[in-house]
Amino acid sequence: MAMAMATVTDMAITRIKKVEYINLNSFLKNRFFDFGAVTFYQIIIQLVGLIIGFFIVRELSITEYAFYTIANTMLGTMTVLSDGGISSGMLAQGGAVWQDKQAMGKIFHTGYQLRIILSVAVLAVCLPLLVYFLLHQQASITTILVIICALIPLFFASLSDNLLQIAPKLNKDVLSIQVNGLKVQILRLICILPLLYIFPYCWLILLITGLIRLWGNKRLKIINRRYIFSDKTGTLTCNIMEFKYMLIGDEFYGDLPKFEQRQPE
């Protein structure tokens, strides 16, 4: 009897170890597959970006490339300054509540609003510097205005794409981000290369890049719906509805804001 019990126990332990080995093996295979896919997409993204950069350097004139370099440098400066540690703070806060879609919605909207406020201040400081550097390169007023108008959509696209990547990263959905980034880069390649031979102007490259990145951000919002609450229009929300005031017939309910309060005539 004792030998039979020992045999059954040994068989059960062997089966548990086998199941654990199979689960570990499956886990490692999935992890290596995800790591390999992410690495592959990242290499392709970098390669496409390298090709775009090569043709930009080759086809733009010296003057236009100087304008392009100045605009890109100021864009990087504005992006860093407008972040102000917001992305790191959101990543730290989201790490504790990444499974709570409502809490992630609050964190996303708080961070995005802070970034908008900082971006306005950064634009007020950096745009005059951009104008100064372009004037130093003998750029005309028309060229400066066109470059600024083309740079603003690209700037606001760069404000949101980093924030939109936080929730998927916390949920280990890096592959979706990489696929979206690859689509953006390929679309840039398709749109920019013909334009470089027809209209080789830096403002046009900046404008096309900004519009394509805005399109990519819309795709990122679709990905974020899995992890952050969204309304029927697809807008990411905190999923909070707050009652303000209401008028039914002659009956008023709620608190009327002071700026709307009027004395009866």
Side-chain angles (χ1 to χ4, degrees):
M1 184 69 179
M3 292 180 62
M5 290 294 295
T7 303
V8 172
T9 303
D10 291 340
M11 290 176 63
I13 293 173
T14 304
R15 183 173 294 179
I16 291 172
K17 288 182 177 179
K18 186 176 181 181
V19 171
E20 289 179 350
Y21 173 77
I22 292 173
N23 289 336
L24 179 61
N25 192 27
S26 177
F27 173 80
L28 290 176
K29 283 184 178 179
N30 291 333
R31 287 298 176 216
F32 278 118
F33 174 77
D34 291 342
F35 177 77
V38 169
T39 304
F40 172 76
Y41 279 113
Q42 186 62 34
I43 291 174
I44 299 299
I45 289 171
Q46 296 295 334
L47 181 61
V48 175
L50 179 64
I51 293 172
I52 295 172
F54 172 79
F55 279 99
I56 288 175
V57 173
R58 183 179 176 85
E59 298 302 326
L60 286 182
S61 64
I62 296 176
T63 302
E64 288 294 328
Y65 185 70
F67 297 161
Y68 180 77
T69 304
I70 292 171
N72 261 329
T73 303
M74 292 305 300
L75 174 64
T77 303
M78 292 189 296
T79 303
V80 171
L81 292 177
S82 62
D83 182 69
I86 293 174
S87 297
S88 300
M90 288 178 61
L91 194 61
Q93 293 292 325
V97 296
W98 61 275
Q99 292 179 320
D100 188 341
K101 295 176 72 173
Q102 181 172 333
M104 284 301 300
K106 292 179 181 178
I107 292 172
F108 175 81
H109 278 273
T110 302
Y112 187 73
Q113 292 299 323
L114 287 174
R115 261 204 152 175
I116 290 295
I117 294 172
L118 281 177
S119 67
V120 173
V122 168
L123 282 174
V125 174
C126 291
L127 285 184
L129 291 175
L130 176 62
V131 172
Y132 170 77
F133 288 131
L134 290 174
L135 285 173
H136 189 69
Q137 294 295 324
Q138 310 300 321
S140 64
I141 299 299
T142 304
T143 302
I144 293 173
L145 291 177
V146 172
I147 290 175
I148 290 175
C149 291
L151 192 64
I152 289 177
L154 184 55
F155 173 59
F156 280 101
S158 64
L159 287 180
S160 56
D161 59 2
N162 289 336
L163 302 185
L164 289 169
Q165 293 179 12
I166 290 176
K169 286 180 178 178
L170 290 173
N171 286 271
K172 302 177 183 178
D173 190 10
V174 181
L175 190 58
S176 296
I177 299 175
Q178 297 293 74
V179 172
N180 184 73
L182 181 59
K183 291 178 180 178
V184 169
Q185 286 291 72
I186 292 176
L187 190 57
R188 282 187 64 209
L189 181 67
I190 294 172
C191 294
I192 289 178
L193 287 189
L195 289 175
L196 283 172
Y197 290 96
I198 303 172
F199 304 106
Y201 299 109
C202 81
W203 64 267
L204 191 56
I205 298 174
L206 295 172
L207 180 61
I208 294 297
T209 302
L211 294 177
I212 293 174
R213 287 186 64 177
L214 288 173
W215 174 83
N217 287 350
K218 287 187 177 181
R219 304 295 302 175
L220 282 176
K221 288 182 180 180
I222 295 174
I223 297 172
N224 272 268
R225 292 180 195 174
R226 309 170 195 167
Y227 315 113
I228 300 176
F229 275 119
S230 62
D231 59 18
K232 294 180 180 179
T233 64
T235 303
L236 302 178
T237 69
C238 302
N239 199 38
I240 296 176
M241 184 177 292
E242 183 178 353
F243 174 77
K244 293 295 186 178
Y245 55 88
M246 177 173 57
L247 181 65
I248 301 178
D250 295 331
E251 296 295 329
F252 181 82
Y253 302 91
D255 298 324
L256 187 66
K258 291 183 179 180
F259 65 85
E260 292 188 8
Q261 291 180 357
R262 298 178 182 176
Q263 298 294 332
E265 295 180 357

